[in-house]
């Protein structure tokens, strides 16, 4: 009797252990299977491209770094599955502002890459060997998109990412607050020099009683948008010159401290600092709160971009009209940058070529084309996500008032091409942004700032 | 016969220790060894090139000044966290073993922060430090709270210490309560008859006999605070300007954002050695204080 009981206990424990082992080996077995599939698919993917309309079920995955619109994408995937029952698109979500690229890296390292990836161009550039060259569909997209958009997807000479959204940034202003402070209508074309901007800010500050400029103290805003992107992109109207200047800085041949553009940019920054609405505690960087104070007109100006609409678009009691000013870097109204706002294609759709089978790649391309050209797709992107599509004849209208203001500069061709940042290493905004935060908080002076930023760039291979 | 006993003993050993040994090997030992091997290669996701480079990554670690600054920052953080959280836990445990009303409810209440994940807890304290306290500071003119604590390096350091201690204290409290209730009543009574006051009883009897609990608590708080990551991420995000990055946070940034996997992993190994040395020395030293009743 006793031994039987002991036997039962032993048996139960062994079964549990076996389950553990089986569960684990089962998992790893599946993994290696996926690996082998992936490797063979990648190998043949380069040579042939099979059609997908074989009636077989195809599952493709979609890695999304535009995390704030995960749900809109999921609705689109469901709709596509209705139209096209053979294809299932599965979302790989990422957290907003969280560990996004880490998820991508682990998928890649485990031999299980997503079929489609919605990524920043700089990340696509880093992983350029893993993505499909989209040359076969380039002509089609050149036809579909606005001029300049396809260039935004060309990295290292290859068309690797399909542009689907465009965004711009500059010194935004709240039209109601500004015009109330001025006591009359405001014409943005009158601000083309630093002195003119200073005069305007003085007037507004006197009328409103508070410093009128919101500077968002986050490293991405200061390091990437202000110093990095504007500084290197305003060197010349020719993007190749900008890239060359950046190479010179990395090699130590050019010093940022001797550069007129960087110094002009920081002169303007010094001035904006004087009028900073968050002067008392400049590094709080609360994105919701800063957006709210600007949208309600407590601060009349905000150095930010049209993506802000995702936060303020649905806000109660906000103002309705917004405009955008260039950030003047000198007192010569004709200098490049004094009349232009930054404009770029911040996210691209890239298709995997390291693990995807040819029929999956084909299905991915067909799905992307549907999403970017169909009315459902365009409505979802423009109306629900609130983004601007750089496409011709878009069948939807956006409610994004900031994007509309930036669109006026785009129409006149008065934009700054910040494509040079696509080649920057992926940690540049955090590293140089930290130096800019110190500068904003007054912890270092301009010499130290230049030293830190120059040292960072020279450490980049 | 003897052979049979050995066989049965090993069988029994594997029966009970097997599952956890297996789990330990799979989720800890193997990743650790693979991780160590990675530090000797120049592997990264992009090139997937695992060629052997020897100790180059470690040489790089010793040249990375920022890592040592942040490691020193981490050690200071751990030092204060261990002290604050243990003192707090001892105080709460003493109060909750003195027989006050609603003891059980209070114990549950103090333990709750432990059930909240580090990320949520970090966001909670973040809004407290950057919104609530500045608001109150502005309203009542307390200069200490007029600006957010999270935008100043020194204050952000204390914000981290406070938030972590708040989380740990409840957990350590449970262990201390167990330690304190284990102190024999007769000894305490004898001391009181001999004329010892409350403080003397606490210092000479209760704390002395509760040394095992102190050893466990110091060890736990030490190793846990060395490996804090989630709270750091959600409370300060390493800011202002990377000055409050704890070692683990720095390592993750190094590996995943700067794409320096080998160096990041080598730094993780260095961190492991530092934590192991400090934790083992302190528990060895504290163990010597143990007395029999």
């Amino acid at each position: 009797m006793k031994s039987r009981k002991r036997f039962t206990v032993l048996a139960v424990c062994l079964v549990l252990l076996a389950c553990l082992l089986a569960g684990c080996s089962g998992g790893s077995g599946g993994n290696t299977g996926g690996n082998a599939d992936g490797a063979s698919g990648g190998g043949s993917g380069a040579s042939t491209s099979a059609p997908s309309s074989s009636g077989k079920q195809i599952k493709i995955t979609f890695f999304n770094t535009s995390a704030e619109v995960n749900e809109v994408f999921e609705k689109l995937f469901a709709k596509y599955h209705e139209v096209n029952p053979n294809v299932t698109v599965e979302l790989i979500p990422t957290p907003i502002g969280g560990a996004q690229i880490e998820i991508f890296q682990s998928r890649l390292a485990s031999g299980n890459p997503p079929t489609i990836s919605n990524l920043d161009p700089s990340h696509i550039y880093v992983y350029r060997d893993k993505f499909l060259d989209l040359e076969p569909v380039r002509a089609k997209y050149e036809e579909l998109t606005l001029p300049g958009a396809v260039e935004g997807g060309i990295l290292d000479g290859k068309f690797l990412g399909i542009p689907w959204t465009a965004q711009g940034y500059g010194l935004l202003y709240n039209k109601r607050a500004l015009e109330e402070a001025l006591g009359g209508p405001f014409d943005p074309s009158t601000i083309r020099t630093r002195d003119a901007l200073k005069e305007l800010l003085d007037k507004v500050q006197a009328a409103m009683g508070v410093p009128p400029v919101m500077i968002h103290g986050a490293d991405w805003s200061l390091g990437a948008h202000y110093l990095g992107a504007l500084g290197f992109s305003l060197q010349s109207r020719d993007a190749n010159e900008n890239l060359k200047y950046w190479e010179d800085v990395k090699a130590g041949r050019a010093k940022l401290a001797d550069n007129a553009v960087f110094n002009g940019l920081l002169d303007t920054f010094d001035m904006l600092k004087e009028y900073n609405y968050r002067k008392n505690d400049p590094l709080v960087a609360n994105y919701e709160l800063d957006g709210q104070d600007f949208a309600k007109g407590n601060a009349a100006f905000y150095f930010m971009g049209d993506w802000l609409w995702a936060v303020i678009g649905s806000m109660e009691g906000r103002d309705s009209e917004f405009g955008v000013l260039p950030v003047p870097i000198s007192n010569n109204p004709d200098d490049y940058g004094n009349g232009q706002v930054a404009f770029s294609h911040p996210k691209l759709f890239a298709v995997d070529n390291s693990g995807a089978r040819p029929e999956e790649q084909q299905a991915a391309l067909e799905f992307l084309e549907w999403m970017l050209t169909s009315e459902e797709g365009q409505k979802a992107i423009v109306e629900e996500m609130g983004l601007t599509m750089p496409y011709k004849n878009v069948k939807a209208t956006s409610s994004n008032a900031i994007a509309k203001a930036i669109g006026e500069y785009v129409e006149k061709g008065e934009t700054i091409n910040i494509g040079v940042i696509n080649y920057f290493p992926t940690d540049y905004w955090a590293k140089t942004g930290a130096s800019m935060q110190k500068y904003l908080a007054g912890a270092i002076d301009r010499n130290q700032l230049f030293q830190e930023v120059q040292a960072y760039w020279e450490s980049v291979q | 016969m003897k052979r049979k006993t050995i066989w049965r003993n090993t069988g029994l050993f594997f029966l009970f220790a097997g599952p956890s040994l297996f789990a330990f090997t799979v989720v800890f030992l193997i990743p650790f060894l693979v991780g160590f091997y990675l530090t000797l290669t120049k592997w990264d996701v992009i090139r997937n090139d695992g060629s052997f480079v020897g100790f180059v990554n470690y040489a790089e670690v010793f040249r990375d000044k920022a890592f040592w600054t942040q490691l020193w920052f981490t050690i200071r953080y751990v030092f204060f966290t261990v002290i604050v959280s243990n003192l707090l836990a001892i105080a709460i445990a003493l109060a909750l073993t003195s027989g006050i009303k609603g003891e059980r409810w209070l114990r549950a209440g103090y333990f709750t922060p432990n059930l909240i994940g580090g990320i949520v807890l970090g966001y909670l304290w973040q809004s407290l430090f950057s919104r609530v306290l500045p608001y109150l500071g502005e309203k009542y003119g307390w200069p200490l709270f007029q600006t957010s604590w999270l935008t100043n390096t020194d204050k952000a350091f204390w914000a981290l210490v406070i938030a972590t201690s708040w989380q740990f204290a409840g957990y350590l409290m449970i262990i201390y309560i167990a330690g304190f209730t284990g102190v024999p009543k007769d000894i305490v009574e004898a001391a009181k008859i001999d004329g010892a006051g409350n403080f003397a009883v606490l210092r000479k009897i209760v704390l002395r006999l509760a040394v095992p609990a102190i050893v466990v608590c110091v060890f736990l708080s030490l190793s846990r605070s060395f490996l804090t990551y989630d709270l750091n991420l959600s409370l300060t995000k390493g800011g202002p300007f990377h000055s409050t990055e704890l070692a683990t946070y720095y390592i993750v940034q190094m590996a995943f954002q700067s794409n320096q996997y080998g160096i990041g992993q080598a730094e993780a190994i260095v961190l492991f050695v530092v934590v192991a040395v400090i934790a083992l020395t302190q528990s060895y030293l504290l163990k010597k204080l143990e007395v029999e009743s």
Side-chain angles (χ1 to χ4, degrees):
Chain A
M1 188 63 210
K2 205 179 168 194
S3 72
R4 187 190 267 177
K5 200 170 170 190
R6 186 183 281 163
F7 177 77
T8 323
V9 173
L10 190 88
V12 168
C13 288
L14 278 179
V15 166
L16 281 176
L17 186 65
C19 287
L20 248 171
L21 284 165
C24 194
S25 66
S28 66
N31 234 342
T32 45
N35 243 337
D37 267 350
S40 65
S44 56
S47 51
T48 56
S49 77
S52 74
S53 50
S54 56
K56 221 177 82 190
Q57 282 291 326
I58 294 181
K59 204 183 101 184
I60 55 179
T61 49
F62 183 95
F63 177 80
N64 181 29
T65 55
S66 304
E68 58 283 352
V69 291
N70 275 339
E71 283 151 37
V72 186
F73 273 124
E74 276 191 311
K75 266 190 262 165
L76 270 177
F77 300 161
K79 245 180 228 162
Y80 188 65
H81 188 67
E82 276 168 29
V83 191
N84 230 326
N86 284 339
V87 182
T88 315
V89 190
E90 191 191 80
L91 181 79
I92 304 171
T94 61
I96 298 176
Q100 298 190 322
I101 203 67
E102 285 89 333
I103 299 173
F104 179 75
Q105 288 169 342
S106 68
R107 298 290 295 220
L108 209 58
S110 65
N112 194 13
T115 326
I116 305 172
S117 299
N118 171 31
L119 287 171
D120 294 4
S122 59
H123 283 127
I124 295 179
Y125 177 70
V126 170
Y127 299 101
R128 56 192 176 277
D129 300 338
K130 312 283 182 193
F131 293 118
L132 186 68
D133 187 351
L134 301 172
E135 193 57 39
V137 293
R138 179 169 168 174
K140 191 195 288 172
Y141 279 97
E142 259 164 4
E143 192 66 29
L144 286 168
T145 57
L146 296 176
V150 165
E151 269 100 279
I154 294 178
L155 295 158
D156 215 21
K158 276 193 218 158
F159 184 42
L160 292 178
I162 299 171
W164 64 281
T165 166
Q167 67 185 24
Y169 66 88
L171 195 59
L172 310 181
Y173 61 86
N174 180 320
K175 201 169 171 208
R176 179 201 57 83
L178 184 58
E179 293 190 341
E180 264 174 32
L182 293 177
F186 170 68
D187 176 12
S189 67
T190 55
I191 308 298
R192 287 292 177 267
T193 63
R194 188 186 303 126
D195 286 349
L197 181 62
K198 187 173 166 52
E199 204 178 309
L200 175 72
L201 294 179
D202 264 335
K203 264 191 231 162
V204 177
Q205 175 161 299
M208 291 176 78
V210 289
V213 181
M214 181 72 75
I215 300 177
H216 186 62
D219 47 7
W220 52 268
S221 179
L222 300 170
H225 297 155
Y226 197 88
L227 191 72
L230 288 182
F232 284 104
S233 307
L234 290 178
Q235 297 297 331
S236 159
R237 285 171 199 262
D238 177 0
N240 289 325
E241 288 291 312
N242 294 335
L243 206 56
K244 220 177 98 205
Y245 176 73
W246 174 60
E247 294 286 350
D248 285 346
V249 170
K250 280 200 304 176
R253 287 189 296 268
K255 297 284 176 201
L256 297 176
D258 305 330
N259 188 271
V261 170
F262 274 95
N263 275 302
L265 203 55
L266 286 174
D267 286 340
T268 306
F269 192 70
D270 289 343
M271 184 193 82
L272 293 176
K273 246 163 74 173
E274 293 296 308
Y275 298 94
N276 186 1
Y277 186 76
R278 298 253 184 261
K279 216 185 212 171
N280 292 332
D281 205 358
L283 298 182
V284 169
N286 185 321
Y287 188 54
E288 275 77 30
L289 198 65
D290 286 1
Q292 193 177 333
D293 275 333
F294 169 69
K296 295 192 173 166
N298 300 338
F301 298 90
Y302 192 8
F303 177 70
M304 205 32 79
D306 50 10
W307 55 86
L308 181 66
W309 203 252
V311 170
I312 67 171
S314 56
M315 201 172 270
E316 298 265 329
R318 65 167 167 84
D319 290 314
S320 54
E321 284 185 89
F322 301 94
V324 59
L325 288 177
V327 177
I329 58 162
S330 68
N331 279 325
N332 176 5
D334 298 325
D335 275 357
Y336 182 44
N338 289 359
Q340 290 83 13
V341 296
F343 188 70
S344 66
H345 304 97
K347 298 278 181 191
L348 304 172
F349 291 139
V351 178
D352 175 66
N353 196 26
S354 69
R357 287 192 291 266
E359 64 264 29
E360 288 171 347
Q361 292 175 338
Q362 189 59 33
L365 286 174
E366 282 169 14
F367 165 68
L368 286 177
E369 194 180 330
W370 174 82
M371 183 156 69
L372 293 169
T373 53
S374 72
E375 195 176 336
E376 289 106 312
Q378 295 192 336
K379 272 201 166 137
I381 293 172
V382 172
E383 288 171 12
E384 289 179 56
M385 302 186 192
L387 300 173
T388 314
M389 284 185 79
Y391 282 70
K392 290 172 196 156
N393 310 321
V394 176
K395 304 171 199 79
T397 46
S398 161
S399 63
N400 188 335
I402 304 173
K404 237 176 258 168
I406 286 168
E408 286 167 23
Y409 288 84
V410 177
E411 264 167 39
K412 284 183 256 165
E414 298 285 14
T415 55
I416 304 165
N417 173 4
I418 58 169
V420 62
I421 65 166
N422 297 343
Y423 296 91
F424 290 0
T426 47
D427 62 356
Y428 92 94
W429 55 271
K431 301 279 179 177
T432 58
S435 304
M436 277 301 276
Q437 284 181 322
K438 287 184 204 168
Y439 187 66
L440 176 63
I444 55 172
D445 64 20
R446 193 182 294 190
N447 276 333
Q448 287 163 304
L449 172 71
F450 276 136
Q451 257 168 28
E452 284 187 10
V453 177
Q454 181 91 31
Y456 167 74
W457 286 118
E458 289 182 14
S459 76
V460 171
Q461 275 111 36
Chain B
M1 187 63 208
K2 206 178 171 201
R3 214 168 171 193
K4 211 176 164 189
T5 329
I6 294 175
W7 175 236
R8 212 181 60 196
N9 280 347
T10 27
L12 268 182
F13 173 76
F14 276 108
L15 180 63
F16 291 109
S20 52
L21 199 68
F22 172 76
F24 180 75
T25 315
V26 168
V27 304
F28 183 80
L29 214 56
I30 294 177
F32 184 82
L33 292 175
V34 172
F36 179 70
Y37 175 72
L38 272 185
T39 64
L40 306 176
T41 66
K42 56 174 186 181
W43 185 85
D44 68 33
V45 178
I46 303 159
R47 288 188 305 269
N48 202 5
D49 162 22
S51 52
F52 195 78
V53 292
F55 287 91
V56 172
N57 286 324
Y58 288 92
E60 209 54 57
V61 172
F62 283 96
R63 250 177 278 141
D64 183 3
K65 269 189 232 138
F67 173 66
W68 296 101
T69 321
Q70 293 321 124
L71 190 61
W72 176 237
F73 178 84
T74 311
I75 291 173
R76 279 191 298 146
Y77 158 80
V78 170
F79 179 77
F80 286 107
T81 307
V82 168
I83 289 182
V84 173
S85 62
N86 280 283
L87 286 183
L88 202 63
I90 289 177
I92 299 172
L94 283 175
L96 295 187
T97 48
S98 64
I100 52 169
K101 241 185 170 183
E103 232 171 52
R104 277 159 197 278
W105 288 105
L106 286 173
R107 279 183 201 179
Y110 285 119
F111 187 71
T112 317
N114 241 285
L115 305 174
I116 311 173
I119 293 282
V120 177
L121 199 116
Y123 282 126
L124 209 129
W125 279 91
Q126 193 209 38
S127 66
L128 206 62
F129 278 123
S130 66
R131 298 289 298 276
V132 179
L133 289 178
Y135 173 77
L136 293 176
E138 205 62 49
K139 200 168 171 190
Y140 298 108
W142 302 327
L144 186 60
F145 294 121
Q146 269 172 3
T147 57
S148 163
W149 274 32
L150 304 177
T151 57
N152 174 299
T153 304
D154 296 324
K155 286 184 186 164
F157 171 80
W158 286 107
L160 274 174
V161 171
I162 290 171
T164 323
S165 305
W166 184 71
Q167 187 191 18
F168 286 178
Y171 185 68
L172 303 177
M173 171 199 75
I174 299 284
I175 302 174
Y176 280 122
I177 287 178
F180 293 159
T181 45
V183 174
K185 292 276 176 299
D186 49 339
I187 301 180
V188 176
E189 219 169 319
K192 280 197 171 152
I193 291 169
D194 284 345
N198 277 339
F199 186 65
V201 170
L202 171 67
R203 203 164 60 92
K204 296 241 165 88
I205 312 279
V206 177
L207 284 185
R208 271 305 172 88
L209 287 173
V211 165
I214 299 180
V215 174
V216 171
C217 284
V218 171
F219 184 83
L220 278 179
S221 53
L222 192 87
S223 52
R224 274 182 74 179
S225 49
F226 255 119
L227 303 180
T228 306
Y229 174 77
D230 42 5
L231 190 90
N232 193 197
L233 178 73
S234 55
L235 185 63
T236 68
K237 258 195 173 172
F241 32 82
H242 302 306
S243 59
T244 63
E245 283 180 348
L246 294 174
T248 44
Y249 189 90
Y250 183 84
I251 289 168
V252 171
Q253 297 291 97
M254 178 58 99
F256 291 101
Q257 206 176 58
S258 306
N259 283 320
Q260 305 275 11
Y261 294 88
I263 301 176
Q265 183 62 30
E267 284 168 349
I269 299 281
V270 172
L271 177 69
F272 165 77
V273 172
V274 171
V275 177
V277 167
I278 294 181
L280 292 178
T281 337
Q282 72 78 24
S283 63
Y284 171 76
L285 290 177
L286 275 181
K287 272 234 149 117
K288 285 192 160 178
L289 292 176
E290 273 183 36
V291 288
E292 293 287 321
S293 61

